[in-house]
Amino acid sequence: MKHSKEYYMSIAIKEAKKALLIDEVPIGCVIVHNDKIIARGFNLKESKKLVINHAEIEAIKKASKKLDNWRLFDCDLYVTIEPCLMCMGAIYQSYIKNVYFGAKDPSGGAITSSINFNEIKNLNHYPHVEGGILEEECSSLIKDYFKNKRQNKKKLK
Amino acid sequence: MKHSKEYYMSIAIKEAKKALLIDEVPIGCVIVHNDKIIARGFNLKESKKLVINHAEIEAIKKASKKLDNWRLFDCDLYVTIEPCLMCMGAIYQSYIKNVYFGAKDPSGGAITSSINFNEIKNLNHYPHVEGGILEEECSSLIKDYFKNKRQNKKKLK
């Protein structure tokens, strides 16, 4: 059954909330193939003590395993926050077709914020990109997370 | 003991040759901390069927494990070929101090080829970058690999 972009993003938001439960920056991701979610991931950077464990990379690893291929042809990726350089690098090299994100990331977002992805030269694939899907909810999740962090720090002083 | 950049790159080349043995694109990497090699890696993309298994990512994973931290402060990374977007993303987010590479990659190199890394805005860290270390040897390894691939393909026709 074909679902809306908002539906898939709402599942990515559910993933982001799993990150929140373990005190990770709440970012979530799903990968869709033939209208089916084939992989989900959430940010695990601090838990795994590894810079690469972003939600997108977690999902890409799972999708590759599922399809038994590093080429993720005809797959769409939904992520709550604009992907960073590392994740966009993994996304275009996986041949992911469409990337949908929720809120922009002004410090590091590699679609339109820190860099305009389509202006990078000589790549072998440029996914279609689109932002602003359930933007407010995706953005609030992150903002509230950092607000709580700051408040807790103040309380400790 | 303090070694030269060429010494560390020669070890990265040894790693690249390990990739060659299993028919992977020959790219190798080492990470140095306090003048000691703390991690090595070579390209395993096809063997692991995962787009993220570049030499640099392999080495970053091992270095993070060794230092028990995703922050690789005061670490230098040596890689035979100019890192791609994904690897430069992982490198700057790990706070790696210096990046030394051998040969440029015109289709995807994210230091000066496909993009000028220092022109990306609002990142939290910009490593010092320097290319051309044992350039000819690093470049020949790759060129010979693809030349052999083409010749073998012709033979099969």
Side-chain angles (χ1 to χ4, degrees):
Chain A
M1 188 186 142
K2 204 165 164 58
H3 291 286
S4 66
K5 293 170 195 167
E6 288 73 19
Y7 169 80
Y8 291 122
M9 189 60 80
S10 74
I11 312 289
I13 290 172
K14 273 191 188 166
E15 287 299 302
K17 287 178 180 167
K18 290 184 190 168
L20 207 56
L21 287 177
I22 52 167
D23 199 21
E24 293 270 6
V25 178
I27 301 177
C29 177
V30 298
I31 295 179
V32 176
H33 183 245
N34 292 338
D35 303 319
K36 259 182 72 181
I37 293 176
I38 58 162
R40 298 161 193 241
F42 57 92
N43 179 31
L44 281 167
K45 182 171 151 182
E46 296 294 341
S47 319
K48 299 263 186 189
K49 293 186 183 174
L50 253 181
V51 87
I52 63 161
N53 285 87
H54 285 190
E56 299 92 317
I57 303 289
E58 289 297 298
I60 286 173
K61 285 195 302 195
K62 287 177 193 165
S64 298
K65 207 168 175 183
K66 195 105 173 200
L67 299 181
D68 195 29
N69 199 337
W70 59 260
R71 294 167 191 85
L72 303 178
F73 292 137
D74 295 319
C75 285
D76 299 338
L77 182 143
Y78 291 78
V79 60
T80 54
I81 300 293
E82 183 183 2
C84 76
L85 211 64
M86 174 181 74
C87 293
M88 277 309 289
I91 286 167
Y92 90 81
Q93 288 178 81
S94 305
Y95 296 102
I96 283 173
K97 196 174 179 181
N98 299 298
V99 178
Y100 302 104
F101 67 95
K104 287 192 180 183
D105 177 7
S107 52
I111 290 184
T112 58
S113 298
S114 278
I115 190 176
N116 189 330
F117 187 79
N118 285 321
E119 285 176 7
I120 304 174
K121 292 176 291 186
N122 303 330
L123 303 183
N124 54 7
H125 172 60
Y126 293 83
H128 165 76
V129 290
E130 191 179 326
I133 321 285
L134 302 184
E135 183 172 358
E136 211 160 316
E137 198 175 343
C138 293
S139 170
S140 301
L141 258 175
I142 292 266
K143 281 185 186 156
D144 292 349
Y145 172 79
F146 285 113
K147 197 173 154 190
N148 285 337
K149 278 265 169 200
R150 282 192 299 272
Q151 281 172 345
N152 289 340
K153 240 185 187 171
K154 266 188 200 162
K155 276 182 208 158
L156 286 170
K157 275 183 186 169
Chain B
M1 189 184 142
K2 203 166 166 56
H3 292 285
S4 66
K5 292 171 195 167
E6 288 74 18
Y7 168 79
Y8 291 123
M9 190 60 81
S10 73
I11 311 291
I13 289 172
K14 273 191 188 167
E15 288 298 303
K17 288 178 180 167
K18 290 183 192 169
L20 207 55
L21 287 177
I22 52 167
D23 199 25
E24 292 270 7
V25 179
I27 302 177
C29 177
V30 298
I31 294 179
V32 176
H33 182 244
N34 292 336
D35 303 318
K36 260 183 72 180
I37 293 176
I38 59 162
R40 299 161 193 240
F42 57 93
N43 179 29
L44 281 167
K45 183 172 152 182
E46 297 293 343
S47 321
K48 299 264 186 187
K49 293 186 184 174
L50 252 181
V51 87
I52 63 162
N53 284 86
H54 285 192
E56 298 93 315
I57 302 290
E58 289 296 299
I60 285 172
K61 285 196 301 197
K62 288 178 193 166
S64 297
K65 206 167 176 184
K66 194 106 172 201
L67 300 181
D68 195 29
N69 198 337
W70 59 260
R71 295 167 190 86
L72 303 178
F73 291 136
D74 294 319
C75 285
D76 299 338
L77 181 143
Y78 291 78
V79 60
T80 54
I81 300 292
E82 183 182 1
C84 76
L85 214 64
M86 174 181 75
C87 293
M88 277 309 289
I91 286 167
Y92 91 80
Q93 287 177 80
S94 305
Y95 296 102
I96 283 173
K97 195 174 180 180
N98 298 298
V99 178
Y100 302 104
F101 67 94
K104 286 190 181 184
D105 176 7
S107 52
I111 290 183
T112 59
S113 298
S114 277
I115 190 177
N116 188 331
F117 186 80
N118 285 320
E119 286 176 7
I120 304 173
K121 292 174 293 182
N122 303 333
L123 303 183
N124 54 7
H125 173 60
Y126 293 83
H128 166 77
V129 290
E130 192 179 326
I133 320 285
L134 301 185
E135 182 171 359
E136 211 161 315
E137 198 176 343
C138 293
S139 171
S140 302
L141 259 174
I142 292 266
K143 280 185 187 158
D144 292 349
Y145 172 79
F146 285 112
K147 199 174 152 189
N148 285 337
K149 279 264 169 200
R150 281 192 300 271
Q151 282 172 346
N152 289 340
K153 240 185 185 171
K154 265 188 200 162
K155 273 182 210 158
L156 286 172
K157 274 182 188 168

